């Protein structure tokens, strides 16, 4: 998860950055409203922590401009008792706000809520993986070849997903087993060969393409 922190008070920014990194988030800092907006518009972030009082462009204006094209979750960092900021912030499209000074645990909790809420609304861009005319839509759990839908079992879908997600990377049978069957699956790795055969009969043979390639002695790969 990538978090963009737009906060001009360096001490607060550094403290928050450290705590977030400790929790496993990647953090990019910006001390300036205008630069912060540009970064936010890049679309590289899963969540934005946005201070209200900022040089060059205040946080509310950053938020308003950001909302014209982005639904990324935003949590405002407001000064104590700045009631107007909170109201205007929520009106401008903030997901939440937190009043400074705050306990880091509260911020972490609000981040988790905002990320979860956003993940559940389905407003994220659809994730479609593609190779050789085959598309896999992650949200709709749908596979098509040359625009025609293909019916796959769960395991077949998971295998195709693992290969497409790691396009151009040769995947060992063991690795594919972990991804498709789970780490605690105790079966033989040749079950992967069986699923590859099923996929080939449903896709390669039917549509006369060569999607899944065998890398002798190693495993399988889907190439561009
Ligand atoms: Ca500030």
């Amino acid at each position: 998860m990538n978090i963009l922190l737009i906060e001009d008070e360096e001490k607060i920014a550094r403290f928050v950055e450290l705590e977030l990194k400790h929790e496993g988030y990647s953090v990019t800092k910006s001390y300036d409203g205008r630069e912060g907006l540009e970064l936010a518009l890049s679309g590289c972030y899963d969540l934005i922590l946005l201070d209200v009082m900022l040089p060059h462009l205040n946080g509310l204006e950053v938020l308003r401009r950001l909302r014209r094209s982005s639904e990324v979750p935003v949590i405002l960092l407001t000064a104590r008792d700045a009631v107007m900021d909170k109201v205007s912030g929520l009106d401008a499209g903030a997901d939440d706000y937190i009043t400074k000074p705050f306990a880091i645990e509260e911020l972490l909790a609000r981040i988790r809520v905002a990320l979860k809420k956003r993940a559940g609304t389905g407003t994220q861009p659809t994730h479609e993986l593609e190779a050789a005319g085959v598309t896999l839509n992650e949200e709709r759990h749908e596979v098509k070849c040359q625009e025609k839908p293909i019916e796959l079992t769960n395991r077949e879908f998971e295998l195709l997903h693992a290969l497409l997600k790691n396009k151009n990377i040769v995947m060992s049978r063991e690795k594919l087993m972990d991804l498709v069957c789970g780490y605690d699956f105790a079966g033989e790795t040749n079950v992967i060969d069986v699923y590859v055969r099923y996929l080939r009969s449903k896709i390669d043979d039917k549509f006369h393409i060569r999607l899944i390639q065998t890398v002798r002695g190693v495993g399988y790969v889907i190439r561009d």
Side-chain angles (χ1 to χ4, degrees):
M1 286 287 168
N2 295 318
I3 294 182
L4 173 63
L5 171 62
I6 311 175
E7 163 66 79
D8 62 319
E9 282 159 80
E10 290 188 30
K11 236 174 87 184
I12 296 180
R14 226 170 299 139
F15 167 69
V16 171
E17 178 190 32
L18 216 69
E19 293 290 337
L20 291 179
K21 282 189 170 163
H22 185 70
E23 289 295 311
Y25 296 107
S26 298
V27 181
T28 303
K29 286 194 308 255
S30 172
Y31 302 124
D32 172 287
R34 193 166 294 154
E35 182 202 69
L37 175 63
E38 262 172 46
L39 287 169
L41 286 170
S42 72
C44 299
Y45 304 99
D46 300 293
L47 182 130
I48 292 167
L49 298 175
L50 179 60
D51 182 29
V52 174
M53 295 298 286
L54 286 169
H56 294 120
L57 204 60
N58 78 53
L60 294 180
E61 195 50 37
V62 170
L63 180 58
R64 263 182 226 110
R65 296 193 194 182
L66 179 66
R67 278 291 175 256
R68 287 178 198 157
S69 61
S70 167
E71 290 295 309
V72 62
V74 174
I75 298 176
L76 284 182
L77 311 178
T78 67
R80 187 190 285 278
D81 298 329
V83 179
M84 273 315 290
D85 284 352
K86 293 168 197 164
V87 174
S88 329
L90 294 173
D91 279 348
D95 293 71
D96 203 354
Y97 62 83
I98 189 163
T99 308
K100 290 193 274 190
F102 47 79
I104 197 70
E105 286 309 322
E106 187 188 352
L107 179 65
L108 292 171
R110 288 182 185 279
I111 288 173
R112 283 194 294 270
V113 170
L115 287 171
K116 211 163 155 188
K117 206 171 75 188
R118 198 51 69 118
T121 59
T123 51
Q124 288 175 323
T126 52
H127 293 291
E128 219 168 61
L129 305 169
E130 193 275 333
V134 175
T135 56
L136 181 150
N137 187 297
E138 293 179 320
E139 273 99 33
R140 292 205 297 268
H141 222 262
E142 209 174 65
V143 177
K144 287 181 180 175
C145 184
Q146 296 158 17
E147 300 301 317
K148 293 192 189 74
I150 299 169
E151 294 284 336
L152 296 181
T153 65
N154 263 336
R155 286 268 165 90
E156 290 162 3
F157 182 91
E158 292 305 329
L159 175 60
L160 182 61
H161 183 253
L163 286 167
L164 279 172
K165 191 122 196 167
N166 297 282
K167 198 157 71 170
N168 300 318
I169 301 170
V170 178
M171 303 288 283
S172 69
R173 288 177 178 81
E174 289 74 21
K175 186 84 203 259
L176 289 169
M177 279 278 286
D178 289 344
L179 292 170
V180 174
C181 306
Y183 286 95
D184 48 0
F185 187 78
E188 297 289 325
T189 55
N190 61 14
V191 297
I192 293 299
D193 301 322
V194 175
Y195 290 124
V196 166
R197 254 199 321 275
Y198 291 153
L199 280 176
R200 280 179 175 155
S201 76
K202 287 183 177 181
I203 302 173
D204 297 46
D205 298 350
K206 207 166 158 206
F207 294 91
H208 310 290
I209 58 172
R210 197 157 165 260
L211 181 68
I212 301 171
Q213 298 176 22
T214 306
V215 181
R216 202 178 284 270
V218 187
Y220 297 98
V221 64
I222 290 178
R223 293 206 169 91
D224 260 327

